Amino acid sequence: MNTIDIKTNEECDSIAHLINEELKALGIHQNFAPVCDISSNNEAIKNRSFGSDKKSVTELSRQFILSTQEDNIVATAKHFPGHGLVKGDTHKQSVYIDGELQEVDIYKPLIESGVISIMVAHITVLNNPLYDTKGLPATCSRTIVTDLLKNELDFKGIIISDALNIMKAVTILEKAPLKASMAGCDMILMPIDELETMNWILEEMKSNPIYKKQVEQSVKKIIRLKICLGLV
């Protein structure tokens, strides 16, 4: 994906199937792709996306998802709500969407086409009355994960956080894995300390029945996915 310039659905389908063969050979069942951001010049995204044309990015992302899931590999659209039209790299610093969420529209047809998983970015949203994250990265914002992605866009699949172990935009945040879980993420990707993360979640569940029910729903979603993949 990093070195091939994909321009047509046929090329996208072919590349996706080649990737799927490699993943299956390695015993991997979920691909953290496609990158659905609309800029090829962003410091973090670089040439990982399908380009800078929203229509083309949407269509090629949709094709990649369909071809991936046709081979019984879970596709993961990322980086919600959009990492393309921002300056900076969340691996190095906090990065902001200042105002309108210009890339969210990409996800609507992907959700309608049945994408199984969506990854949320560590992007902070400001100057947006509806979706301001109040200084938190989107990963840890219930406004973005639950209100927007789950409720408004009606996404019923698996929501996964971006990596929590090396990205400066989130490692500076206290108990970031717990905050991401409480925001509505079903899966927590690469927390710095897995045991500590589990203990935080279990402790919160003891005193927060609403959160406890949410975690149980997330676990059920993941178990159902494993059943569908033939892993259980």
Side-chain angles (χ1 to χ4, degrees):
M1 291 294 294
N2 287 358
T3 59
I4 298 173
D5 185 15
I6 298 173
K7 295 184 181 298
T8 68
N9 283 357
E10 290 75 15
E11 291 174 336
C12 188
D13 177 70
S14 177
I15 293 298
H17 288 306
L18 287 173
I19 292 172
N20 295 340
E21 289 179 12
E22 295 291 332
L23 293 175
K24 286 185 174 183
L26 293 169
I28 295 172
H29 304 277
Q30 181 168 2
N31 189 2
F32 294 152
V35 173
C36 305
D37 305 299
I38 65 174
S39 172
S40 58
N41 298 316
N42 177 271
E43 181 182 353
I45 305 306
K46 298 180 180 177
N47 62 348
R48 290 192 291 155
S49 81
F50 288 110
S52 57
D53 178 76
K54 181 181 285 190
K55 182 178 179 182
S56 176
V57 168
T58 302
E59 182 55 34
L60 290 172
S61 295
R62 178 180 175 276
Q63 182 60 57
F64 187 92
I65 288 164
L66 292 174
S67 299
T68 297
Q69 295 181 175
E70 180 181 292
D71 286 342
N72 212 37
I73 298 288
V74 176
T76 306
K78 64 182 187 181
H79 305 79
F80 188 86
H83 200 314
L85 299 177
V86 298
K87 293 181 180 179
D89 184 345
T90 47
H91 294 85
K92 301 175 183 178
Q93 63 195 30
S94 294
V95 175
Y96 302 89
I97 294 175
D98 191 348
E100 182 184 359
L101 303 181
Q102 300 181 62
E103 299 177 76
V104 166
D105 286 349
I106 291 173
Y107 289 85
K108 294 178 182 178
L110 305 185
I111 291 170
E112 290 170 359
S113 295
V115 64
I116 293 172
S117 178
I118 291 178
M119 181 182 289
V120 183
H122 303 314
I123 300 285
T124 302
V125 181
L126 49 80
N127 296 321
N128 187 312
L130 288 177
Y131 307 117
D132 195 297
T133 61
K134 297 178 172 54
L136 291 171
T139 325
C140 300
S141 169
R142 194 164 180 84
T143 297
I144 297 298
V145 180
T146 294
D147 296 344
L148 175 56
L149 183 53
K150 287 187 177 181
N151 296 338
E152 189 173 332
L153 297 182
D154 198 31
F155 180 60
K156 305 299 185 186
I158 302 291
I159 300 174
I160 183 168
S161 74
D162 206 340
L164 290 160
N165 62 340
I166 59 171
M167 302 179 78
K168 293 296 184 182
V170 74
T171 55
I172 58 176
L173 185 64
E174 185 179 1
K175 292 187 176 181
L178 175 62
K179 287 182 170 65
S181 176
M182 294 185 73
C185 291
D186 301 299
M187 296 173 66
I188 307 301
L189 178 60
M190 299 168 68
I192 293 174
D193 188 322
E194 291 184 16
L195 181 59
E196 184 177 53
T197 296
M198 287 189 288
N199 287 333
W200 285 337
I201 291 173
L202 290 171
E203 195 62 31
E204 183 66 28
M205 289 173 69
K206 291 177 183 178
S207 59
N208 188 337
I210 295 176
Y211 174 63
K212 181 175 184 289
K213 183 178 180 180
Q214 176 194 306
V215 172
E216 290 171 347
Q217 289 173 339
S218 292
V219 172
K220 288 176 182 177
K221 286 165 68 174
I222 294 167
I223 291 173
R224 282 198 297 268
L225 177 59
K226 288 185 175 183
I227 291 171
C228 290
L229 292 170
L231 301 178
V232 174

